[in-house]
Amino acid sequence: MLKRKIHNHLIEWKNRGDKKALIITGARQVGKTTAIREFAKENYTHFVEVNFVKHPVAKQAFDADLDTNTIVTYLSAMGFGPFVEGKTLVFFDEIQECPNARTAIKFLVEDNRFDYIESGSLLGINYKDVISYPVGFEEEIRLYPLDFEEFLWAKGIGENVVEVLRKCYNQEKAVPDFIHKQMSKVYQEFLVIGGMPEVVQKYIDNPDISNAFRAQKSIITTYRDDISHYAEKSAVLVKRVFDAMPSQLGKQDKRFVLAKIEKGASLRKYEDPTQWLIDAGLAYYSFNTKAFELPFESIENRKLYKLYMVDTGLLCSQMINEMQFEVLKGNIDINEGALTENFVACTLSAKGKSLHYYDKKSKQELDFIIQENNKITILEVKSGDNYKKHASLDAALDSFSGSIGRAIVLCKGNLEKSDDVTYMPLYMAMFL
């Protein structure tokens, strides 16, 4: 079973005296249901799981009065239970399929006899009507695919190694050479495998990597089916954007250009379909900014943007044939470094960072700029061997030194400090 960071959040939630219902969201197949089941097994005497897709009849329990006694009686009559006061976790899975259950959460939490966790894909939760949201009675946690640290755990690499890396990051000193080489190899694997739990588990269980690749293709197919199901009239346009992300990220500037997917395409036509993918958790925006000013949101240009895919492994599976094997051999700059930049985008997004890139008239492009301690941190992503050549970064340091807190080049090399620039292994993005 894969170790996930969300487990600690669940334990913390359980130990609160006045806890709300917990709603765990995220894109499909990121491991929500599995994480909740494992948590329940270890921490509750009784566990009641109600999946509104698998058991649609359960929706009828929420068609009458939305009080605890009525709901529990109806669910018990359907075979769900037992409900033991103070010892039971009730899990409503695929909650988007039963809007009345979402409304009932307010009354169930107020009753305070049982603990409640809801889960569902962002696809449904954002696009299903709920009569009355339980405002003030829910706490949301968003689950993402495995990050690189969780992938290390899956590979059997211990916390002691992660602590060595963290210490080197904090002290800005080189990682011991042997560890750096090993981590670089594992990082190459992560670019290809990604963090979707099913894919990672298949890769860990069986050295035949083709099993993992088949699982990736299956997930992509599932996502396309979900777009057809939930996006309804916009499904065709949403699929065009979704399918275009790999080729657009394979360009040198990586900016998403609508004209590449349809002649004469307009932002007005594609803005809502693109936002649909963002809301579904399948993609992340990175907006352009032409000034070194905080907050970025106040000066961003929402007409110029990049689109990153939710998982680097899925992105790799959608790119050119045999690309995975090239990356595993160490050629991570293939396809203009699309995978490495997508990896950083996913890492920052999972940490709650909004994504922005700096580009002033295509002369000084910087891959990512983020806010740290009221200063601007520049992140340049270099997948090739010439990572010490960075004219745009140098120009920014000359022009905006007073606004810049850190200038970091994420690269193949080991950690080293040179003047105002810190060169850092790509895998160390997990500590940002």
Side-chain angles (χ1 to χ4, degrees), residues 164-294:
V164 169
L165 299 176
R166 184 176 283 108
K167 184 177 180 180
C168 291
Y169 171 82
N170 289 332
Q171 297 181 357
E172 294 188 327
K173 66 178 186 180
V175 178
D177 189 58
F178 176 79
I179 294 178
H180 171 65
K181 289 179 179 178
Q182 293 303 310
M183 291 304 98
S184 296
K185 290 179 181 178
V186 178
Y187 171 71
Q188 292 163 21
E189 293 176 39
F190 185 71
L191 290 181
V192 169
I193 299 300
M196 302 304 288
E198 179 188 358
V199 179
V200 174
Q201 194 66 65
K202 286 185 181 296
Y203 179 61
I204 298 300
D205 291 344
N206 190 329
D208 183 356
I209 202 169
S210 62
N211 292 322
F213 294 163
R214 281 193 292 272
Q216 288 172 333
K217 293 294 186 184
S218 176
I219 291 171
I220 291 293
T221 299
T222 299
Y223 282 170
R224 288 178 56 81
D225 290 343
D226 283 339
I227 291 170
S228 297
H229 177 67
Y230 288 108
E232 300 174 342
K233 294 180 180 179
S234 298
V236 171
L237 300 182
V238 174
K239 285 182 181 178
R240 283 181 189 171
V241 177
F242 182 72
D243 292 341
M245 281 194 287
S247 61
Q248 300 258 11
L249 285 170
K251 299 183 299 163
Q252 185 175 6
D253 65 2
K254 298 177 179 58
R255 185 165 66 85
F256 200 90
V257 179
L258 291 172
K260 296 286 186 180
I261 60 176
E262 182 188 2
K263 186 177 180 180
S266 66
L267 181 63
R268 182 177 180 180
K269 180 177 180 179
Y270 278 94
E271 185 173 21
D272 286 346
T274 304
Q275 186 62 49
W276 192 97
L277 288 172
I278 304 297
D279 291 342
L282 302 185
Y284 305 123
Y285 267 129
S286 179
F287 290 111
N288 168 264
T289 177
K290 296 181 180 180
F292 267 69
E293 298 175 13
L294 295 173

Side-chain angles (χ1 to χ4, degrees), residues 366-383:
L366 301 171
D367 297 324
F368 298 97
I369 51 175
I370 61 174
Q371 179 177 340
E372 289 184 321
N373 301 318
N374 294 319
K375 289 279 190 176
I376 296 172
T377 291
I378 299 173
L379 300 174
E380 277 284 76
V381 182
K382 300 287 187 180
S383 55

Side-chain angles (χ1 to χ4, degrees), residues 344-360:
V344 175
C346 289
T347 301
L348 294 175
S349 296
K351 292 175 177 289
K353 298 284 189 184
S354 59
L355 304 182
H356 294 87
Y357 70 97
Y358 176 82
D359 183 5
K360 190 172 183 178

Side-chain angles (χ1 to χ4, degrees), residues 394-431:
D394 294 338
L397 286 168
D398 288 340
S399 303
F400 309 109
S401 58
S403 302
I404 297 170
R406 295 199 292 172
I408 297 171
V409 175
L410 292 162
C411 59
K412 287 181 175 181
N414 206 329
L415 198 152
E416 88 177 91
K417 184 91 171 178
S418 178
D419 297 325
D420 295 326
V421 179
T422 301
Y423 299 94
M424 200 175 285
L426 278 153
Y427 55 78
M428 275 194 174
M430 64 179 171
F431 298 131

Side-chain angles (χ1 to χ4, degrees), residues 326-338:
E326 286 296 315
V327 175
L328 288 172
K329 289 189 291 186
N331 185 14
I332 63 173
D333 60 343
I334 192 169
N335 246 35
E336 298 291 348

